[in-house]
Amino acid sequence: QVHLVLSGGGSVQAGGSLRLSCAVSGNFISLYSMGWFRQVPGKEREAFATIANDGTTSYADSVKGRFAIVKDDTKNTLYLQMNSLKSEDTAMYYCVADRVAHTIATMMSFPNALDAWSQGTLVTVSP
């Protein structure tokens, strides 16, 4: 069974950068499509970046051009590079893995049915 461990996160000022890392164990990352979700208190969690196992990426408009989802098959690790951070990026962040869902829309359709979720990590962006 695939297991995800998330590291990174923390506090940064607006305009700054952070990188999250999601280490995959129990199976090869190449077998999965991967994604990033975030959740603000009081709001539903949202998927905002995905990478299919063929390398195709998709981004929500809110992060397009600022965030990059990258998968390193040799390290079995997923990354999220976040640049030009804004206060509205403040949220709890999660990585996910699934063998079927591979776009933002499909991951959002049945998020509780995705193969694996990481623990959350808090990203706080101060004005």
Side-chain angles (χ1 to χ4, degrees):
Q1 186 172 350
V2 67
H3 185 57
L4 308 179
V5 176
L6 182 53
S7 60
S11 298
V12 66
Q13 287 192 320
S17 298
L18 280 175
R19 189 177 81 159
L20 304 182
S21 299
C22 177
V24 178
S25 62
N27 215 330
F28 296 108
I29 194 172
S30 58
L31 298 177
Y32 296 86
S33 292
M34 305 292 293
W36 291 97
F37 278 71
R38 62 186 181 184
Q39 186 171 26
V40 176
K43 293 189 176 181
E44 290 208 1
R45 56 191 168 180
E46 61 165 353
F48 61 88
T50 62
I51 183 166
N53 53 8
D54 68 356
T56 303
T57 58
S58 62
Y59 296 93
D61 288 343
S62 58
V63 305
K64 197 174 293 182
R66 300 188 299 121
F67 289 11
I69 183 170
V70 177
K71 187 163 63 80
D72 188 335
D73 288 356
T74 65
K75 295 184 178 180
N76 233 34
T77 300
L78 176 75
Y79 300 98
L80 180 69
Q81 179 65 44
M82 301 184 287
N83 299 323
S84 302
L85 282 159
K86 305 176 181 179
S87 56
E88 50 263 45
D89 295 318
T90 295
M92 190 70 76
Y93 284 70
Y94 304 86
C95 61
V96 298
D98 200 75
R99 286 162 292 180
V100 176
H102 61 281
T103 65
I104 289 173
T106 53
M107 286 194 176
M108 284 293 291
S109 294
F110 300 101
N112 291 334
L114 297 175
D115 288 343
W117 283 77
S118 69
Q119 86 285 12
T121 191
L122 183 62
V123 172
T124 303
V125 184
S126 56

